[in-house]
Amino acid sequence: MSDLEARLKEDKALRDTARQIVAADLAQVKGDTPERSIARRAADGVSETSFSLADRALGYATANPLLVGGGLIAVLLFVLRGRLAELLFGGFDRHDDDGEGDGAEPSPRYEP
C-alpha cells in the first residue's frame, strides 16, 4: 500500500501544481481585461482591418494602374456630368450669325 500511497501523493502534488498554473493564467487574463475596454478592442480591430484593406488596395493599384486610372476618370466624369453637358449642349441656340434665328426654339438647357 505504501507504493500506492506514494503515487497518490505525487499525483495530488502534480494536480495542485497544475491548478496553480491555471489559476495564475486565469488571473493574468482577468487582469488584462479591465485595461483594454471593449471599445478599445473594437478600435484596434477596425484599425487593423483598415490597414490591411489599404495595403491590399495599394497592391492592386500598383499591379493595375490603367484600371485604377480609368476608374478615377469615370468617377470624375460622373461628378462633372452636368457641367460637361452644359458645355457641350448649352451653346447650340440655333441662331444664325446675322442675329436672325431660323424660327426654331432655342435648345433646352440640360439640368441633371
Side-chain angles (χ1 to χ4, degrees):
M1 272 293 212
S2 70
D3 188 38
L4 192 58
E5 288 176 359
R7 202 165 151 199
L8 182 61
K9 206 177 225 186
E10 272 184 49
D11 288 346
K12 282 185 179 182
L14 284 173
R15 179 198 66 187
D16 291 342
T17 304
R19 184 177 286 169
Q20 288 174 354
I21 291 172
V22 169
D25 287 347
L26 187 60
Q28 184 179 7
V29 169
K30 284 183 178 181
D32 182 40
T33 302
E35 292 175 13
R36 294 180 62 205
S37 67
I38 293 173
R40 182 66 188 157
R41 288 175 193 229
D44 289 345
V46 168
S47 67
E48 185 177 318
T49 304
S50 64
F51 283 133
S52 172
L53 182 63
D55 187 40
R56 289 178 60 194
L58 181 63
Y60 182 81
T62 304
N64 303 304
L66 292 178
L67 290 176
V68 173
L72 290 175
I73 289 172
V75 168
L76 183 66
L77 289 175
F78 178 76
V79 169
L80 297 175
R81 70 186 184 278
R83 291 185 181 165
L84 290 173
E86 187 175 328
L87 282 173
L88 292 174
F89 304 118
F92 300 114
D93 284 340
R94 294 192 184 192
H95 286 285
D96 294 336
D97 289 339
D98 60 359
E100 295 179 17
D102 59 358
E105 291 290 320
S107 62
R109 297 191 79 101
Y110 176 78
E111 294 183 21

